[in-house]
Amino acid sequence: MIWLTRVCSEREAGGPWADCTFASAVMMANEAYGARHYPQTRTEYEALRAASGRGPTGGTNIGDVVKGMLKRYGWTGKELSGAASVLLSPVGTALVIQGTYSALPRHFQRWGGGYQGPHAVCVVKIEAGWWWLDPLATSEYVGELIPESALKTFITALPGARALSVKVGERKVALLTLVDKIARLVDTT
């Protein structure tokens, strides 16, 4: 069974809705651990943004997320280009994807308050399809399935759209392996 995070909402009190890419990256990073390893808060996604070298406002891209994750977390995911590479992702893959909000069916635009421009979300490929986690939603939102055709349209509507992917739980395995190695070293001393 795949662990699914809740939404890391960019709707935090007193803040602009300007961090969808980094809020999505925090969700993807937690999927990589299969648990809430990083706090899903405004403080965390703004710290990730700051680690990327970007200022507090303005658009960002997947390259910025890579820089921020490497500096703050010490690891990052695999970069992908275009809808085809995203849609070929196997079950158990979590991604930050960028696309165009207005290209989505109305139901998936309900959190945007009329916003129609570029946007980033976290999606997870599960047995049943694609699990959609929109950072424009409230933090109570747990996500929902999105049709693959809608996901493809979202991505292809943004020229040059990119994505960043991780395998769900891959960091947990790496962490457990490290803990095991440390425990064996302690036993031998």
Side-chain angles (χ1 to χ4, degrees), residues 158-176:
L158 182 65
R162 303 202 40 88
L164 190 65
S165 72
V166 298
K167 182 178 178 198
V168 173
E170 74 181 19
R171 300 300 301 174
K172 182 178 182 181
V173 171
L175 183 62
L176 291 175

Side-chain angles (χ1 to χ4, degrees), residues 3 10 32 67 69 79 83 87 97 123 136 139 147 165 172 175:
W3 178 85
E10 61 178 318
K67 289 176 197 167
M69 287 183 72
E79 291 185 70
L87 299 177
I97 60 170
V123 294
L136 285 174
S139 59
S165 72
K172 182 178 182 181
L175 183 62

